[in-house]
Amino acid sequence: MVTVRAPATSANLGSGFDVFGVALNRPADVVHVNKADETTIDVRGVGSQYIPEDPEKNTVGAVARALDAPAHIEIDKGVRPASGLGSSAASAAAAAVALNDLYDRKRSKKELVPIAAKGEAVVSGTAHTDNVAPAILGGFTIATDHEITQIETDISLVVCLPEVVVSTREAREVLPERTTIDKVVDTVGKAATLTAGMARGDPELVGQGMHDTIITPVRSDLIPGYESVRETALENGATGVTISGAGPAIIAICQEEQQRTVANVMIDSFADHGVESRAYQTEIGAGAQLCSH
Ligand SMILES: Nc1ncnc2c1ncn2[C@@H]1O[C@H](COP(=O)(O)OP(=O)(O)O)[C@@H](O)[C@H]1O
Ligand SMILES: N[C@@H](CCOP(=O)(O)O)C(=O)O
């Protein structure tokens, strides 16, 4: 049996829609694989009642097919589905690394990214790599059609996850079909600023680069209390706040000493809107880790 742990991820980071992503130190999925004549799947843990065990509908089934690696796959879910924390990607990433080892396919971690993205296509309709790239490689990643750039960085953050469900597929259906040159110029500037901040380990620059005028305004309507939660986090020490992935989680960049305050005010602000939530005080972390084989 091979066991792999893969982290939750936060994609987009405002200005980097479908390109930027960071691995979080926690939560995470753990996947166990054993060779079998055909792929079967067992899912347990958070939200497992909402996750299909049909290999045609679970992200790990697509990964097993892509690697020609039939297996019995057990998924211990630590990342809630429909959270905006790369739940589907965490399983796909862990399965890709685990099956690559189990069958000795000798793929590099970068080569496993598009394979894991085939799992994302099963659940959202698009093989976007901005979650599976950091889930496999760790750190901050810039994923384009031609290259994946990974930057190790030490940035503290808070992710606040409300008891609200937003599926990535639905959140992709509300995307605007066109935008303006001014918004493109603004987004390029913010994305460059965020990337410089990640390279320097500068939370102020990262925060400045998270503001987005194209995607976030249409998706924030799917998250009750979003504007209030964002404003109160900024007023209490966060340097930047935006939707995590397709939501409903909200990510706030802050100095480590302000994490507790930022987490508490975000929870309180959601509560003011009648929404229960929980907050992870964490930091950008490592990618998928082989636990045993
Ligand atoms: N292994 C898996 N883990 C989590 N969700 C999965 C998995 N396989 C399929 N799904 C489906 O994917 C959806 C969750 O994915 P998504 O909407 O992208 O959430 P997230 O934003 O957390 O990634 C759910 O509808 C779930 O049924
Ligand atoms: N770029 C994607 C990212 C989805 O992230 P998830 O954590 O919500 O799956 C998008 O915004 O659609």
Side-chain angles (χ1 to χ4, degrees), residues 10-108:
S10 184
N12 302 334
L13 299 173
S15 56
F17 176 72
D18 272 7
V19 174
F20 290 169
V22 289
L24 306 179
N25 253 346
R26 62 189 185 90
D29 280 5
V30 176
V31 169
H32 313 273
V33 296
N34 278 296
K35 284 187 179 179
D37 293 336
E38 61 180 18
T39 294
T40 55
I41 301 167
D42 285 331
V43 186
R44 51 184 178 260
V46 65
S48 55
Q49 66 271 37
Y50 305 113
I51 299 172
E53 295 183 337
D54 178 349
E56 296 297 317
K57 296 177 180 173
N58 193 298
T59 58
V60 303
V63 172
R65 286 192 295 278
L67 284 171
D68 188 20
H72 176 61
I73 304 173
E74 297 175 20
I75 307 171
D76 291 333
K77 291 299 296 181
V79 189
R80 195 199 84 182
S83 59
L85 295 178
S87 180
S88 50
S91 295
V97 173
L99 292 169
N100 185 54
D101 185 88
L102 182 70
Y103 278 85
D104 195 23
R105 292 290 186 251
K106 300 191 190 306
R107 301 291 213 290
S108 70

Side-chain angles (χ1 to χ4, degrees), residues 40-292:
T40 55
I41 301 167
D42 285 331
V43 186
R44 51 184 178 260
V46 65
S48 55
Q49 66 271 37
Y50 305 113
I51 299 172
E53 295 183 337
D54 178 349
E56 296 297 317
K57 296 177 180 173
N58 193 298
T59 58
V60 303
V63 172
R65 286 192 295 278
L67 284 171
D68 188 20
H72 176 61
I73 304 173
E74 297 175 20
I75 307 171
D76 291 333
K77 291 299 296 181
V79 189
R80 195 199 84 182
S83 59
L85 295 178
S87 180
S88 50
S91 295
V97 173
L99 292 169
N100 185 54
D101 185 88
L102 182 70
Y103 278 85
D104 195 23
R105 292 290 186 251
K106 300 191 190 306
R107 301 291 213 290
S108 70
K109 283 200 164 183
K110 274 192 178 181
E111 288 170 332
L112 291 174
V113 170
I115 289 170
K118 291 179 185 294
E120 293 286 71
V122 166
V123 299
S124 70
T126 309
H128 59 93
T129 55
D130 50 336
N131 285 105
V132 289
I136 292 174
L137 300 172
F140 165 67
T141 55
I142 304 165
T144 67
D145 290 345
H146 309 294
E147 183 53 65
I148 298 168
T149 305
Q150 191 262 5
I151 297 175
E152 295 292 341
T153 189
D154 179 20
I155 295 280
S156 297
L157 50 90
V158 172
V159 174
C160 193
L161 176 58
E163 286 302 311
V164 169
V165 170
V166 174
S167 88
T168 299
R169 185 182 290 274
E170 288 165 18
R172 293 184 78 86
E173 287 165 358
V174 303
L175 295 177
E177 291 188 3
R178 54 179 51 82
T179 189
T180 65
I181 291 291
D182 288 350
K183 288 186 177 182
V184 170
V185 169
D186 176 64
T187 300
V188 170
K190 294 290 194 309
T193 301
L194 186 146
T195 302
M198 289 294 186
R200 295 181 186 172
D202 180 341
E204 290 291 341
L205 278 183
V206 172
Q208 289 169 27
M210 286 171 80
H211 189 249
D212 160 49
T213 57
I214 301 176
I215 305 295
T216 307
V218 292
R219 283 182 164 179
S220 57
D221 292 341
L222 302 174
I223 306 170
Y226 172 80
E227 288 303 339
S228 302
V229 173
R230 178 176 184 274
E231 283 310 311
T232 193
L234 291 169
E235 288 163 2
N236 285 274
T239 61
V241 183
T242 192
I243 298 174
S244 177
I250 298 175
I251 183 170
I253 304 295
C254 60
Q255 301 284 1
E256 186 176 356
E257 55 270 20
Q258 285 152 340
Q259 281 183 305
R260 180 183 299 273
T261 299
V262 170
N264 288 338
V265 299
M266 293 176 83
I267 290 170
D268 291 346
S269 184
F270 264 126
D272 292 345
H273 287 78
V275 179
E276 290 298 310
S277 65
R278 67 166 298 176
Y280 296 93
Q281 299 175 45
T282 185
E283 54 280 325
I284 296 174
Q289 304 285 317
L290 201 58
C291 304
S292 67

